[in-house]
Amino acid sequence: MKLTSYARSFHEISVLKDQGFEEVILEPKSLSRFGKLSNSEVESFSKRARELNLRVLIEWDILMTEDVFAAKIPDVKANLSCADALRVQDPGALHWAIEHANLPVQFIAENGNHNLKALEGWIELSQGKLERIILSIELSRTAIEEYVTKLSVPCELLGFGRILLFYTPRPLLSALTPEKMAVNEELAALGESEESPHKGFPIVENQHGTFMFHIKEFCLVDYAAELSKLGLSFFRIDQRWENPNRLTEVVSLVRDFSQEGFESLKNVYSQDLMRGFYLVNKTDVLFPKLKNSRLQGRDANYIGEIIEAEKGSHLAIMIKNPKGLSSTDQLKILHPKGEIFEAKIYSLRNLALEEVTHIPQGQVALIQFVGGVWVKSQVFFNNV
Amino acid sequence: MKSLRNLPEILAPAGSLDKLKVAVSYGANAVYVGGQKFGLRTAAENFTLEELKEGMTFAHEHGAQVYVVLNSFLHDKDLAELPEFVKYLEEIGTDAVIVSDLGVVKSVREFSNIPIHISTQASTLNAESAKLWKKAGATRIVLGREVSVKEAGKIKREADIEIEMFIHGSMCMAYSGHCVISNFTQGRDSNRGGCAHSCRFEYSLEGLDTQEKKKAFFMSSKDLEGLRVLPAFIEEGIDSLKIEGRMKSHLYAGTMSKVYSEALNYYAEHGDFLSDKLIEWEAELSKVSHRTYTEASLVEKAGPESIFNERENSSDGEWQMIGTVVDASPKFGIVIEVRNAFNQGDELEILPFKGPIVKIKANEIMDITMKAIQRTRPTTLVRLPYVEGITKMNLVRGKL
């Protein structure tokens, strides 16, 4: 398993080389979400990296509407000669790179893409130009193991770094302090939501929009050896917001993990760490509770819903079954709280209060009151 | 006079079978609905298999199309359950499915010939992206809400594919599909239907000012309203105009379908919009519960003014849904299923499927047994005297 990371200075490039990295990610300011480098800086950094035999990966990961996309193409072209591969996230950038860039492409599939079929699809669409796929950090160990085994291109995973929660092109911080953005390229704040106990979400606004991160950083250094065994090809370390010197400690733990060293790192690290969903992803486990239980069991026997219940007088049923309701039908009525009542029909009337033998679908049936039944109860056929 | 064939369709939300019938009856050319799985509105009532079939039949009989949302980002285990559902959707005549995930696109193509619309959740923002999805088998792109109408026109021409855009409703502040706040803070996958709407809460922001924390609803977006942009949508050849809101009320589904379809039909007849009609339609839109309206990025990039820096108001505003007409005839009057109570003498407005709003004064109210009453109660049936033109499923609102 190889390591990959970012560099924003000559010094950081040298550190990567010293730490045994074989590649470096450079972020042009105009193309990368958190980029700081001008095109000329990218050029000189790329030259330096190549002198050190490091592969240069240019990150073009912003999302772009049509006009923004068109405006960025000159910058992309200006950076192509500095790159050994392009890293893209917008599917439009992927398509452009496939069609127009004579370079290998790395696709950042970190949003969604939680099934093998989708990942295989991106590889197929890339017509042999995809040299790497960057997996979502929401994947569990089991999924990662399957994907790195079955996919035909090498996979990369964030191993240590910030968790991006939210990305919008809208200027959300400068809206609150317009005078500050006028003199700054970037605004930063820490957010605290009234809805949760979490405090200190890092928020950044720059020319590409506003970004919010998790209060904890993602960390799998204690699982690096396992990931290597599973067959992961690239382990990304993102220390762009941390003391750059911390990279050496992280690399050392990835290569030769010790619990003591890990505890020591955690003690001095600026943020708490989390492993996210690596062990298991249960983010759908609450969904049954969000479901409307009244719908359960609605099938061919479903007649309709009680829309009025007048104690001692009548029940009004909105008939939803194409068969309608006949005076000889027997009923099973499900109260919203789950209680079940069985009833025969002794009186069936229409809205003109006429006694009838049948009420068709889409009309209201009035039957005698059944004790305990209330509005929103669901009515089913109970015919033998 | 413009040809109707050149006009975009009005695509309305239908969170339940009743709402589907309401939207179609009020003029929507198409509706989008969700089954019990694979969509992003887990908490919506959604449709059972039988209801999907019935909804499809009802819509087709009324000349409308039905698109089924399969727009979750599915995990492998979810994807395994998809083929049977897709086959069923084809069997009942589904007009298209709305998909975000390439794995779902591939599954739908493998197990059916249902046309595929790429959901806004995929954040398709440019022509190159549209071309890629077209290669993957998409027949229509629902563009991200960050795209302007002019940009959408360019995308349509360059990628040569059907284009759908949102014209009305609530908006994600984030690029759709690129917000995972719920996933990591609440353990609910927002991209599989578990969004906890964290963006609508108030945040304290530290660091912007040196002195004190700033409190703001800084991630909450105003609601989209694109009525005045209709001519531009038509000019750019946009194929479908989508109204957000499967979780919203019958009154919302009906009013939106009525206003936007009437506006389009007016344009078809007259070739322009007259200001007095615009004011009338805008007044109608304002009578439905909403956040402050914005055109967001439809004309220019959404800026600071598009932020809804206020606490959500749970009330429905000045105008409220009184109820739905469950049946009407000269024989037994107008029977209303009451949602919000009204009293004798209150002014009510009934929305016919077509044409002007009918204003009535509730002078004579009877319960279902024909007994005169002065006050109504929610979840009861009441009768009002018959009014010509009022029919089953018409919506009733009041200023309570």
Side-chain angles (χ1 to χ4, degrees), chain A residues 207-305:
Chain A
Q207 61 167 321
H208 301 304
T210 309
F211 306 83
M212 186 168 91
F213 300 91
H214 201 283
I215 54 167
K216 295 181 183 177
E217 290 202 6
F218 189 68
C219 173
L220 291 180
V221 292
D222 42 344
Y223 292 94
E226 180 178 277
L227 284 163
S228 180
K229 265 190 202 159
L230 295 181
L232 183 72
S233 301
F234 294 90
F235 185 95
R236 188 168 83 257
I237 302 171
D238 179 359
Q239 292 288 284
R240 285 176 290 178
W241 288 273
E242 187 64 24
N243 176 350
N245 298 326
R246 202 73 74 202
L247 181 83
T248 312
E249 288 172 63
V250 176
V251 170
S252 162
L253 279 171
V254 171
R255 295 238 165 87
D256 185 16
F257 183 77
S258 75
Q259 194 60 43
E260 196 184 333
F262 190 34
E263 294 304 325
S264 160
L265 175 71
K266 284 198 273 188
N267 285 336
V268 295
Y269 205 72
S270 62
Q271 305 286 323
D272 286 338
L273 304 175
M274 69 188 293
R275 67 172 79 92
F277 307 110
Y278 180 70
L279 296 182
V280 64
N281 185 324
K282 286 186 176 175
T283 49
D284 60 347
V285 79
L286 289 172
F287 291 180
K289 290 184 182 171
L290 302 177
K291 284 271 173 216
N292 187 333
S293 59
R294 283 196 291 115
L295 276 167
Q296 289 165 9
R298 279 195 189 178
D299 53 18
N301 279 325
Y302 178 63
I303 298 173
E305 182 170 304

Side-chain angles (χ1 to χ4, degrees), chain A residues 31 33 60-65 68 89-91 167 169 208, chain B residues 123 125-126 175-176 178:
Chain A
L31 304 176
R33 295 177 186 188
W60 177 20
D61 66 344
I62 55 169
L63 302 180
M64 297 154 287
T65 62
V68 176
Q89 179 148 11
D90 189 320
Y167 170 19
H208 301 304
Chain B
S123 270
L125 305 168
N126 49 64
Y175 282 116
S176 292
H178 289 261

Side-chain angles (χ1 to χ4, degrees), chain B residues 362-376:
Chain B
N363 286 331
E364 296 172 47
I365 314 173
M366 289 193 286
D367 70 11
I368 206 63
T369 63
M370 307 278 194
K371 193 174 102 191
I373 55 174
Q374 292 179 324
R375 295 178 174 199
T376 67

Side-chain angles (χ1 to χ4, degrees), chain B residues 11 31-33 35 38 52 56 66-71 82 85-90 92-101 104-109 112-120 137-142 164 242:
Chain B
L11 173 57
V31 289
Y32 59 103
V33 306
F38 312 117
L52 277 173
M56 212 69 69
V66 181
Y67 310 143
V68 177
V69 291
L70 305 174
N71 58 347
L82 187 62
F85 187 54
V86 167
K87 286 179 199 167
Y88 178 74
L89 292 181
E90 183 163 50
I92 62 172
T94 302
D95 298 291
V97 289
I98 304 173
V99 178
S100 314
D101 181 315
V104 179
V105 171
K106 284 173 58 121
S107 273
V108 171
R109 292 192 74 194
S112 79
N113 290 306
I114 306 174
I116 297 169
H117 298 175
I118 299 302
S119 166
T120 195
T139 57
R140 177 186 290 187
I141 305 291
V142 188
E164 179 176 311
K242 186 173 212 156

Side-chain angles (χ1 to χ4, degrees), chain A residues 33-306:
Chain A
R33 295 177 186 188
F34 311 109
K36 306 267 187 202
L37 307 178
S38 65
N39 287 351
S40 61
E41 283 172 320
V42 171
E43 191 179 354
S44 60
F45 284 21
S46 169
K47 192 175 166 202
R48 176 66 182 144
R50 283 170 168 173
E51 284 166 2
L52 296 172
N53 286 323
L54 291 172
R55 265 187 110 221
V56 177
L57 316 177
I58 297 291
E59 189 145 273
W60 177 20
D61 66 344
I62 55 169
L63 302 180
M64 297 154 287
T65 62
E66 180 63 18
D67 288 349
V68 176
F69 194 99
K72 294 297 176 188
I73 292 303
D75 280 322
V76 177
K77 287 180 174 169
N79 282 296
L80 284 180
S81 62
C82 306
D84 295 306
L86 271 180
R87 290 165 68 90
V88 296
Q89 179 148 11
D90 189 320
L94 175 64
H95 189 251
W96 188 92
I98 295 164
E99 297 284 319
H100 303 288
N102 190 23
L103 280 175
V105 183
Q106 301 182 357
F107 183 56
I108 303 169
E110 287 182 323
N111 273 88
N113 297 297
H114 296 148
N115 60 76
L116 184 66
K117 219 171 186 131
L119 295 165
E120 287 172 338
W122 293 117
I123 296 170
E124 286 162 22
L125 284 170
S126 301
Q127 301 164 14
K129 279 202 157 186
L130 208 63
E131 69 162 16
R132 185 183 304 177
I133 200 151
I134 293 107
L135 301 177
S136 163
I137 59 168
E138 292 178 67
L139 295 175
S140 67
R141 165 165 60 191
T142 315
I144 293 167
E145 181 176 16
E146 184 187 1
Y147 300 169
V148 298
T149 311
K150 292 185 176 168
L151 290 173
S152 59
V153 300
C155 297
E156 174 188 309
L157 184 72
L158 175 67
F160 199 141
R162 275 190 175 181
I163 299 167
L164 180 61
L165 296 179
F166 173 93
Y167 170 19
T168 178
R170 296 198 223 179
L172 305 187
L173 294 182
S174 57
L176 301 169
T177 54
E179 67 288 350
K180 272 199 160 186
M181 198 58 183
V183 292
N184 290 288
E185 281 197 342
E186 188 174 292
L187 287 180
L190 293 175
E192 176 185 341
S193 166
E194 64 176 340
E195 66 155 340
S196 81
H198 303 302
K199 290 180 182 177
F201 291 98
I203 302 160
V204 173
E205 180 188 322
N206 62 26
Q207 61 167 321
H208 301 304
T210 309
F211 306 83
M212 186 168 91
F213 300 91
H214 201 283
I215 54 167
K216 295 181 183 177
E217 290 202 6
F218 189 68
C219 173
L220 291 180
V221 292
D222 42 344
Y223 292 94
E226 180 178 277
L227 284 163
S228 180
K229 265 190 202 159
L230 295 181
L232 183 72
S233 301
F234 294 90
F235 185 95
R236 188 168 83 257
I237 302 171
D238 179 359
Q239 292 288 284
R240 285 176 290 178
W241 288 273
E242 187 64 24
N243 176 350
N245 298 326
R246 202 73 74 202
L247 181 83
T248 312
E249 288 172 63
V250 176
V251 170
S252 162
L253 279 171
V254 171
R255 295 238 165 87
D256 185 16
F257 183 77
S258 75
Q259 194 60 43
E260 196 184 333
F262 190 34
E263 294 304 325
S264 160
L265 175 71
K266 284 198 273 188
N267 285 336
V268 295
Y269 205 72
S270 62
Q271 305 286 323
D272 286 338
L273 304 175
M274 69 188 293
R275 67 172 79 92
F277 307 110
Y278 180 70
L279 296 182
V280 64
N281 185 324
K282 286 186 176 175
T283 49
D284 60 347
V285 79
L286 289 172
F287 291 180
K289 290 184 182 171
L290 302 177
K291 284 271 173 216
N292 187 333
S293 59
R294 283 196 291 115
L295 276 167
Q296 289 165 9
R298 279 195 189 178
D299 53 18
N301 279 325
Y302 178 63
I303 298 173
E305 182 170 304
I306 303 289

Side-chain angles (χ1 to χ4, degrees), chain B residues 22-168:
Chain B
V22 165
V24 169
S25 301
Y26 276 100
N29 309 109
V31 289
Y32 59 103
V33 306
Q36 293 299 307
K37 282 187 174 180
F38 312 117
L40 282 179
R41 296 288 176 264
T42 304
E45 193 168 345
N46 290 322
F47 287 62
T48 62
L49 296 180
E50 290 78 13
E51 287 171 333
L52 277 173
K53 190 175 176 184
E54 189 185 334
M56 212 69 69
T57 305
F58 180 90
H60 291 166
E61 281 173 359
H62 289 76
Q65 301 208 302
V66 181
Y67 310 143
V68 177
V69 291
L70 305 174
N71 58 347
S72 285
F73 288 128
L74 298 187
H75 289 228
D76 293 283
K77 68 178 167 66
D78 311 315
L79 201 57
E81 298 172 24
L82 187 62
E84 285 310 306
F85 187 54
V86 167
K87 286 179 199 167
Y88 178 74
L89 292 181
E90 183 163 50
E91 194 182 304
I92 62 172
T94 302
D95 298 291
V97 289
I98 304 173
V99 178
S100 314
D101 181 315
L102 186 53
V104 179
V105 171
K106 284 173 58 121
S107 273
V108 171
R109 292 192 74 194
E110 198 176 330
F111 295 101
S112 79
N113 290 306
I114 306 174
I116 297 169
H117 298 175
I118 299 302
S119 166
T120 195
Q121 198 69 6
S123 270
T124 307
L125 305 168
N126 49 64
E128 291 293 329
S129 188
K131 286 179 200 171
L132 192 64
W133 282 115
K134 189 178 173 184
K135 283 181 183 171
T139 57
R140 177 186 290 187
I141 305 291
V142 188
L143 292 175
R145 277 166 272 203
E146 295 77 17
V147 178
S148 71
V149 181
K150 275 204 178 311
E151 287 177 310
K154 290 180 195 170
I155 294 169
K156 180 175 171 61
R157 289 187 288 278
E158 201 178 319
D160 188 23
I161 191 165
E162 282 185 21
I163 294 294
E164 179 176 311
M165 294 186 80
F166 278 89
I167 190 169
H168 197 101

